[in-house]
Amino acid sequence: MIWRSVVGKLWITILLLVSVVLTLLTILLTQFFENFYDNQAEDQLTKMADRLVLIMESDENKEEAIRVTSEMAEAYSMSIMIIDENQESFMSENTYDDAPYIPVSVFKENDQLSTVAENGKKIYVNGDFPVLNKNDETMQTMIIYGEPYGSGEDAGAVYVYQSIENVEKTTNHTKYLIFLAAGIAIILTTIFAFFLSTRITAPLRRMREAATSVAKGEFDMKVPILTHDEIGELGMTFNRMGRQLKNNITALNQEKEQLTSVLSSMADGVITFDRKMNILVTNPPADRFLQAFYYESGMKTEVNGNVPETVKQLFGQVVALESEQMTEIAIQGRSWVVVMTPLYDQSMIRGAVAVLRDMTEERRMDKLREDFVANVSHELKTPIAMLQGYSEAIVDDIAESEEEKKELAGIILDESKRMGRLVNELLDLARLEAGHMKLHYSSLPIIPFAERIVRKFQGPAKDREIQLNLEFKKNLKTLQEEMDIDPDRIEQVLTNLIDNAIRHTSQGGFVNLTVEVSDQNVKFFVKDNGTGIKEEDLPFVFERFYKGDKARTRGKSGGTGLGLAIARNIVEAHGGQISVHSKNNEGTTFSFVVPRTLK
C-alpha cells in the first residue's frame, strides 16, 4: 500500500537516500576515528618513550630518573617498565593502583619484546598479554612500545604500555556520538520527508479527488490553489481544463438533445449504420419499422444489425456505388419507402443513414382516388344508361300508349332523383371531410329524440316483419334530460344505421336501438341479427363506395356506398367515435359515442 502512494514513495526514497549516505559516512568516520586513535596512542607511547629515554640518558641518578618517569606515566595513564643492562627491572608506582601490570618475565621471555634490550631495536607490539590487576592475572589486549637507551654499562630498555581498553573507550564513545547523530538525523529526515511529501502530495490528492469527480461528470469541482509553484500552475491548468470540459460537454449535450429532439419529432424513420451494418441510432418511427420486421420474421429477441434482406442489399449498393439508393418494402401490410445515403469519414465511407417513410396512407389515398373514379363511374353509369335508353324510347315513340309513356317517364324521374341523391351525398361528404360543414347544435331531450327515430322506422320494420326495439341503459331522472348535438345530422346517422340493419335482416329478426347515457357521453348501439359482415370487409365499411358486394351489383338492398362514410364524418365532427363489430350470418352491431355537452 505504501508503494501505491506518492507520499510513501517520496518518503521512502528520501529516507533510503539519507540512510545510505549516513551509513557510508558513519562507516568512514568510524574507520577514521579507529585509525586516528590507534595512531594517536602509538604516537603518545612513542613520545613518552622518547622522553623517558632522554631522561634516563641525561640523569645520572637513576632513582630520580625513575621517579620522574613514573610521574609522567601516571599523568598520561600509562605504565612503564625499565630493564637495565643487569636485567634489573623498574616499574611505575601506579602499577598496583589502577594501571595494569605486566610481569617482568613477559618482557624478558617474549621473542619480540626481548629484542629491545638484546639488539637495541625499537619495537611496537599490539597483542594479548597476561596482566596482573589487583592480584588477578587475566589476558588483555595491550599496546607496548619498547625503545633502547644508553650504551655500554648504562644500556637498557624502556617499555611504555597501555591497555587497549582506553583507546576502545574513546573509540566507542566517538562511535556512540556518531551513531546518535546518525539516528537523530534519520529521525529528523523521516519527519522532514513525511512533512515535505505531505505538503507536495496534498494538492495532488485534491487533484485526484477533483479528477474523480470530473470522471463522474461533476465538472464544478475545483482544485484550491495554495502555492504558486509548478503544483499551483498544475492546479490552475486543471481548473481551466475542467471549465473547458464542462463547456464542451454542455455543448455536446445540447447538440445531442437537439439531434434527439429532431429525430424524435421526425415523422419519417431514421436508422444510422456503421460500415459493418451495426445499427447506431434510431428514432421512434424506425423502431416501429424494426418491431414490425421482428414480429413478421418471428424473432423473439432483437439482433443488432438484423434488418430486412432488401435493406441489406440496398446497403451493399450504397457502399459499392457510393451514391444514394432507394427501394420500397412492404411489412405487416404497410408500405415503406427506404432512401439510403452514404456517410463519409473524410474520404472514406464509414456507414450509411436510411430514411424510412411510411407511404401506406399515400398508397391508400391513391387507391381510394382510383376507386372513387371507378365507383362514381359505376354508380352513374346505370342511371345515365337508363335515362338515355328510356328517353330514346320516348323520342322514338316506342311507347305507344299514355300509360307506357308515363311508366317510362316515372323510371326517368326515379333515376334522376337517384342521381340527385348521389350527387348530394357526395357534396355532403366532401364538405364534411373538408371541414366546411357547419353543425347547428341545440339541446334536446334524449328520450323523445330516440323514440321519434324508432317510430320513424316502425312502418318499414313491420312490412319486413322485423321487431324494432328501443332500450335505455340508464334510468334517466326526468324525461327532459338533454344532450347538445346537431339533431338533423345525428338523425341522419341513426337513419342510415337503422335502415341498413333493417335491409340486411331477414323476416322474423330484430333490430335494437340501445342508448347508454353517462354524465359525459351518450352512446348509441344499433344491433341486428341479420346477415352480418365478412371479417375481411370490416376494416373498409366506412370507406366511400365500399360494399361487401364486390361485383357492385345493385339489388333491392343496394345503395350508393356513401352512407357509412358520411355517418363516420358526422360523428367525428361532433368529437365522437364510431365502430362496428360483426360476425358473418350472426348479426352486426354499430356503435357511436358523442359528448353529451359542448366543451
Side-chain angles (χ1 to χ4, degrees):
M1 294 299 293
I2 294 178
W3 286 109
R4 295 181 183 178
S5 171
V6 176
V7 176
K9 291 178 181 178
L10 188 59
W11 180 29
I12 292 177
T13 300
I14 295 174
L15 189 60
L16 287 177
L17 179 62
V18 173
S19 299
V20 169
V21 172
L22 289 177
T23 301
L24 293 176
L25 183 61
T26 301
I27 293 173
L28 293 176
L29 287 176
T30 303
Q31 293 293 328
F32 169 76
F33 281 111
E34 285 181 352
N35 295 330
F36 173 77
Y37 286 125
D38 287 342
N39 294 332
Q40 188 179 37
E42 182 180 358
D43 185 59
Q44 288 179 351
L45 292 175
T46 301
K47 290 180 179 180
M48 178 60 70
D50 290 341
R51 291 190 185 95
L52 293 177
V53 168
L54 181 61
I55 292 173
M56 293 296 294
E57 290 180 346
S58 61
D59 196 345
E60 295 180 356
N61 187 350
K62 291 185 178 180
E63 292 181 358
E64 182 63 22
I66 291 172
R67 185 184 64 78
V68 173
T69 54
S70 297
E71 291 178 354
M72 291 178 63
E74 183 178 359
Y76 288 96
S77 300
M78 299 178 185
S79 299
I80 61 173
M81 176 64 69
I82 301 174
I83 300 176
D84 59 11
E85 72 281 2
N86 296 323
Q87 298 296 315
E88 293 182 1
S89 60
F90 305 93
M91 61 181 178
S92 57
E93 294 179 356
N94 65 340
T95 298
Y96 293 102
D97 294 333
D98 296 322
Y101 167 65
I102 299 176
V104 178
S105 60
V106 174
F107 294 97
K108 295 180 179 182
E109 296 174 359
N110 187 274
D111 294 337
Q112 291 180 311
L113 298 177
S114 62
T115 59
V116 177
E118 295 176 357
N119 301 327
K121 292 177 59 178
K122 296 179 181 180
I123 191 170
Y124 180 81
V125 180
N126 186 346
D128 294 331
F129 295 96
V131 175
L132 293 176
N133 191 353
K134 296 182 180 179
N135 298 325
D136 292 330
E137 183 174 341
T138 59
M139 295 296 292
Q140 293 185 13
T141 302
M142 307 292 290
I143 51 177
I144 304 174
Y145 180 77
E147 184 177 344
Y149 71 91
S151 59
E153 295 180 356
D154 296 329
V158 175
Y159 298 94
V160 181
Y161 59 92
Q162 188 179 23
S163 174
I164 196 69
E165 291 181 356
N166 295 331
V167 178
E168 288 180 349
K169 287 181 180 180
T170 305
T171 304
N172 290 337
H173 183 67
T174 303
K175 288 181 180 179
Y176 169 75
L177 294 177
I178 293 173
F179 286 127
L180 179 62
I184 294 173
I186 289 176
I187 293 173
L188 293 177
T189 302
T190 300
I191 298 173
F192 171 75
F194 185 77
F195 174 76
L196 179 63
S197 302
T198 305
R199 291 280 295 182
I200 292 176
T201 57
L204 297 179
R205 288 197 299 272
R206 295 190 184 96
M207 290 182 198
R208 181 192 64 186
E209 295 172 357
T212 303
S213 300
V214 170
K216 294 179 180 178
E218 300 174 4
F219 299 103
D220 294 329
M221 187 70 176
K222 291 186 178 180
V223 177
I225 309 301
L226 303 177
T227 60
H228 298 284
D229 52 8
E230 291 83 353
I231 295 178
E233 293 177 357
L234 178 61
M236 289 188 289
T237 304
F238 183 88
N239 291 336
R240 285 197 298 270
M241 180 191 71
R243 290 193 298 270
Q244 190 64 34
L245 275 176
K246 182 179 179 180
N247 295 334
N248 293 338
I249 295 297
T250 302
L252 288 174
N253 287 334
Q254 290 176 350
E255 292 182 3
K256 182 180 178 181
E257 290 174 358
Q258 291 176 357
L259 178 60
T260 302
S261 300
V262 170
L263 288 176
S264 300
S265 60
M266 286 180 64
D268 296 336
V270 177
I271 303 177
T272 303
F273 301 96
D274 62 9
R275 191 170 180 83
K276 295 182 179 179
M277 208 175 177
N278 294 318
I279 296 176
L280 301 178
V281 178
T282 61
N283 66 341
D287 291 335
R288 290 194 294 271
F289 169 81
L290 293 175
Q291 290 294 336
F293 167 68
Y294 294 142
Y295 178 81
E296 187 176 84
S297 303
M299 296 181 184
K300 294 183 179 179
T301 57
E302 301 176 6
V303 181
N304 187 26
N306 201 337
V307 294
E309 189 63 31
T310 307
V311 177
K312 293 181 180 179
Q313 295 175 0
L314 191 66
F315 180 83
Q317 294 176 4
V318 169
V319 173
L321 301 177
E322 297 186 7
S323 62
E324 182 181 287
Q325 301 293 322
M326 183 177 66
T327 187
E328 188 164 348
I329 304 173
I331 296 178
Q332 289 289 292
R334 305 195 71 82
S335 180
W336 297 84
V337 172
V338 182
V339 179
M340 191 173 294
T341 306
L343 292 175
Y344 291 94
D345 185 4
Q346 295 179 352
S347 61
M348 295 180 60
I349 292 180
R350 63 179 179 87
V353 58
V355 178
L356 309 155
R357 175 164 292 180
D358 188 355
M359 301 294 291
T360 306
E361 191 65 24
E362 285 80 355
R363 297 291 182 265
R364 190 180 69 84
M365 295 304 296
D366 292 341
K367 187 176 183 303
L368 286 176
R369 281 192 293 269
E370 295 173 359
D371 291 345
F372 177 76
V373 174
N375 292 331
V376 170
S377 301
H378 177 79
E379 294 293 335
L380 293 177
K381 180 179 179 181
T382 300
I384 290 175
M386 294 181 70
L387 286 173
Q388 182 179 354
Y390 288 115
S391 299
E392 290 177 352
I394 294 174
V395 172
D396 294 340
D397 292 328
I398 294 176
E400 297 179 353
S401 63
E402 289 296 326
E403 290 78 6
E404 291 178 348
K405 290 181 180 180
K406 288 183 179 180
E407 182 181 357
L408 294 177
I411 293 173
I412 292 173
L413 178 61
D414 291 339
E415 294 300 326
S416 299
K417 290 179 179 179
R418 181 177 161 193
M419 289 180 62
R421 287 196 304 272
L422 176 61
V423 172
N424 289 331
E425 288 179 350
L426 284 173
L427 291 174
D428 288 345
L429 183 61
R431 285 194 293 268
L432 283 169
E433 290 182 345
H436 297 158
M437 178 69 72
K438 186 176 181 181
L439 298 178
H440 301 281
Y441 284 93
S442 62
S443 296
L444 72 160
I446 299 174
I447 294 177
F449 174 77
E451 290 176 343
R452 179 169 60 82
I453 298 296
V454 171
R455 284 196 300 270
K456 177 180 177 181
F457 287 94
Q458 286 294 348
K462 288 180 180 179
D463 293 340
R464 296 179 61 88
E465 296 182 4
I466 294 172
Q467 185 177 359
L468 180 60
N469 303 312
L470 174 62
E471 180 185 355
F472 291 94
K473 282 195 174 181
K474 178 182 178 181
N475 295 324
L476 300 177
K477 296 178 181 178
T478 64
L479 293 177
Q480 301 302 318
E481 201 160 338
E482 298 178 341
M483 60 180 176
D484 294 329
I485 58 172
D486 184 335
D488 293 335
R489 291 299 177 182
I490 296 299
E491 182 177 348
Q492 184 179 354
V493 173
L494 289 172
T495 298
N496 184 282
L497 296 179
I498 295 174
D499 181 65
N500 286 342
I502 292 174
R503 286 191 291 110
H504 290 85
T505 301
S506 304
Q507 291 182 358
F510 68 86
V511 175
N512 293 336
L513 173 62
T514 304
V515 182
E516 183 178 335
V517 182
S518 65
D519 293 336
Q520 291 81 24
N521 303 313
V522 179
K523 194 168 186 179
F524 296 89
F525 298 86
V526 177
K527 182 178 180 180
D528 64 69
N529 61 345
T531 58
I533 303 173
K534 294 180 181 180
E535 183 178 354
E536 59 269 21
D537 295 331
L538 281 174
F540 307 101
V541 294
F542 295 107
E543 300 295 340
R544 291 175 293 183
F545 296 107
Y546 189 85
K547 301 178 185 178
D549 176 7
K550 304 301 182 185
R552 303 285 179 184
T553 58
R554 300 190 60 83
K556 292 182 179 179
S557 63
T560 62
L562 296 175
L564 291 178
I566 293 173
R568 182 188 64 180
N569 281 277
I570 291 174
V571 171
E572 290 178 352
H574 278 78
Q577 292 180 340
I578 188 169
S579 61
V580 59
H581 298 282
S582 179
K583 288 185 179 181
N584 196 25
N585 297 322
E586 292 185 15
T588 303
T589 301
F590 281 90
S591 63
F592 69 92
V593 59
V594 292
R596 186 171 176 182
T597 57
L598 292 174
K599 294 182 180 180

